[in-house]
Amino acid sequence: MMKQFFCLLLAVLLLAGCISSRQSGTAYGPGWSAVHADGRNSDCAPFNGPGKITPAWQRKFDGRINLGATTSRDGKVFVTTSGKGCHLYALDARTGETLWCTEEVNRFAVASSALLDREGHIYLADNEAMHAFDGKGALLWETPITGFPLSAQFTQTGRLIFITHIGKVYVLDRKTGQPLIGGWDLSPGNMPDAGFDPVACMKGTEACPCANTLAFDQQNGRFYFTYWKPGTASAALRAMQYTEQPVPTVTMVWENSALPGGSASSPDIAANGSRVYVNDNAGFLYALDAGTGHIIWKYEIGFEPGGSQSTSPDGYIMPAGANGARLLCIKDLGAHAELVWQCDSLHNRGVATQAGGKLAYCTVASGRGRFQNDLVVVNVLTGEILDREPLPGVTIFTVGTTLGPEGNIYVPSFNGALFAFRPD
């Protein structure tokens, strides 16, 4: 019996592909419960992924899908859309059928992915309020806000934290919606208009000052985000500290104004918490010291990524795609980064996602026709293609590949399609 126990324990450890101690014991639900998988924004699944896949089902929604789906341990897939009627859907992971949907959030909810806690509750904002739902879609509470966030995270104390696109920081009690911090201004007296410029928010420019999801370190309560302060020449990466005693407070730790052209890609924290990765809109990826904000290295990827990079616990980084982007992988070697491989024949059309087993799931141009794409499974260490599956129809580009705890892979396209693949 003891031998069987240790074998089981070893199997669990081997499957924990992208999991980090900096995420354990928190409010996050198991699996892919946040927009970028976890509080670190790693875009890396906490379990092994399949090397061979086959289509499972597909759906087409009215309107757009802007971000990847999130998944729960009880077999639900959550997706937000801009179409008429429902803007938050809960789907059956096995079939893609709608289990429930809600009109309680408006079309601005498409700017966020649903955030799931360990009790199975769902948190999603639009441009009017943050909302909480139970696992069956019933509204638990809603709290008015100004502006809209691009997804939320949990604090080290289990609170809900988010920043709206105009730079207002909120911390709410996730059980009641009661504000602990109710719209703290990043630039007091100099806040931009709360209007929405879709192009600015897609690129993280001055008209949409905070155009991404904050990354939160569960070990020390520090969070990181990009912010284009009104009246300044470029966007910056900021680090702030959240504390609850004696009263809930957020304070500035450091700021590095080194992001020319802005950034719409969310920062992500290294697995050991020592550094933060972020892109600019001039074709560079940065690693910054998490304690000081000093640039450790700067690597030219040669294009403006269309989303956030995927980062494994051992420092393999795969940037998101954009027009003219090549599929590539770089490695953080400490004081500098090096190219691991680059495939010029694979044009990256989405957000790469890594999983345990040194596998990545990426969307690339198919070659069949304009705006048609394939999902490829690649070896992170070599770039070898292990499997390739078409995404039927015109998909333009995809917006965030996610993995469910049941082993499925979910690939949404900007024009409202959602494809599910299962292990073959």
Side-chain angles (χ1 to χ4, degrees):
M1 179 64 73
M2 187 62 68
K3 182 179 180 180
Q4 291 175 334
F5 169 78
F6 282 114
C7 288
L8 177 60
L9 178 61
L10 178 60
V12 170
L13 292 173
L14 288 173
L15 286 171
C18 295
I19 201 165
S20 167
S21 63
R22 309 190 76 79
Q23 187 70 24
S24 60
T26 69
Y28 290 86
W32 201 288
S33 57
V35 60
H36 297 296
D38 50 34
R40 295 190 296 109
N41 287 341
S42 71
D43 282 293
C44 191
F47 40 77
N48 279 10
K52 297 289 184 181
I53 57 175
T54 191
W57 50 263
Q58 66 183 71
R59 291 282 304 266
K60 184 67 172 71
F61 298 91
D62 292 332
R64 301 187 315 276
I65 300 176
N66 280 17
L67 292 166
T70 50
T71 61
S72 69
R73 61 183 164 191
D74 61 349
K76 294 188 183 73
V77 180
F78 298 91
V79 63
T80 58
T81 77
S82 65
K84 295 180 179 179
C86 294
H87 300 291
L88 170 62
Y89 286 82
L91 310 178
D92 188 318
R94 298 166 301 172
T95 64
E97 295 178 354
T98 299
L99 298 172
W100 55 262
C101 70
T102 180
E103 298 182 29
E104 293 288 349
V105 290
N106 65 32
R107 64 187 179 88
F108 282 89
V110 75
S112 298
S113 289
L115 175 66
L116 282 65
D117 70 11
R118 60 188 176 224
E119 287 80 34
H121 296 160
I122 302 112
Y123 305 89
L124 183 67
D126 52 26
N127 66 331
E128 297 176 350
M130 175 61 75
H131 306 76
F133 302 91
D134 69 15
K136 296 182 179 179
L139 182 67
L140 300 175
W141 53 258
E142 59 182 9
T143 299
I145 62 177
T146 302
F148 60 89
L150 287 93
S151 301
Q153 299 282 18
F154 296 122
T155 70
Q156 78 278 27
T157 55
R159 312 297 189 179
L160 191 67
I161 184 169
F162 54 93
I163 308 173
T164 65
H165 77 295
I166 56 172
K168 286 183 173 287
V169 182
Y170 290 83
V171 180
L172 310 180
D173 186 301
R174 80 176 197 274
K175 295 181 179 178
T176 65
Q178 181 68 28
L180 284 75
I181 296 176
W184 187 84
D185 290 341
L186 290 173
S187 300
N190 195 24
M191 295 300 294
D193 182 79
F196 170 58
D197 182 335
V199 175
C201 286
M202 287 177 68
K203 294 181 70 66
T205 57
E206 189 172 9
C208 189
C210 197
N212 54 58
T213 307
L214 61 91
F216 199 100
D217 192 323
Q218 297 292 309
Q219 299 299 306
N220 57 25
R222 188 169 293 181
F223 59 99
Y224 308 86
F225 58 95
T226 66
Y227 180 61
W228 193 315
K229 183 178 179 179
T232 59
S234 65
L237 182 68
R238 284 193 177 187
M240 300 191 75
Q241 182 71 40
Y242 172 68
T243 55
E244 260 184 33
Q245 300 298 330
V247 295
T249 306
V250 290
T251 54
M252 176 80 84
V253 179
W254 53 257
E255 179 179 67
N256 189 314
S257 303
L259 302 178
S263 175
S265 66
S266 301
D268 67 280
I269 307 169
N272 63 7
S274 66
R275 56 190 60 191
V276 184
Y277 305 102
V278 69
N279 286 286
D280 63 18
N281 280 342
F284 287 90
L285 173 69
Y286 301 78
L288 287 82
D289 186 288
T292 65
H294 295 153
I295 295 174
I296 300 170
W297 52 254
K298 176 181 177 182
Y299 185 90
E300 186 172 10
I301 60 175
F303 55 86
E304 297 176 21
S308 300
Q309 60 282 344
S310 170
T311 305
S312 72
D314 49 356
Y316 288 92
I317 304 172
M318 298 189 66
N323 288 334
R326 303 159 308 284
L327 192 64
L328 59 88
C329 177
I330 67 174
K331 180 73 162 64
D332 183 349
L333 295 176
H336 68 286
E338 284 188 359
L339 182 69
V340 179
W341 55 264
Q342 175 177 300
C343 188
D344 293 337
S345 64
L346 293 178
H347 299 283
N348 194 349
R349 291 271 185 84
V351 179
T353 291
Q354 296 182 67
K358 300 300 181 190
L359 298 179
Y361 304 87
C362 317
T363 306
V364 298
S366 69
R368 298 188 307 273
R370 193 181 184 195
F371 300 135
Q372 295 189 34
N373 300 296
D374 295 340
L375 178 66
V376 294
V377 184
V378 301
N379 183 312
V380 172
L381 301 180
T382 66
E384 177 190 2
I385 298 176
L386 304 176
D387 199 1
R388 185 166 187 159
E389 298 290 336
L391 301 178
V394 172
T395 49
I396 308 177
F397 58 89
T398 63
V399 291
T401 299
T402 60
L403 279 74
E406 74 292 330
N408 283 0
I409 300 162
Y410 302 99
V411 187
S413 69
F414 179 71
N415 60 341
L418 176 63
F419 304 92
F421 296 85
R422 58 177 173 79
D424 187 1

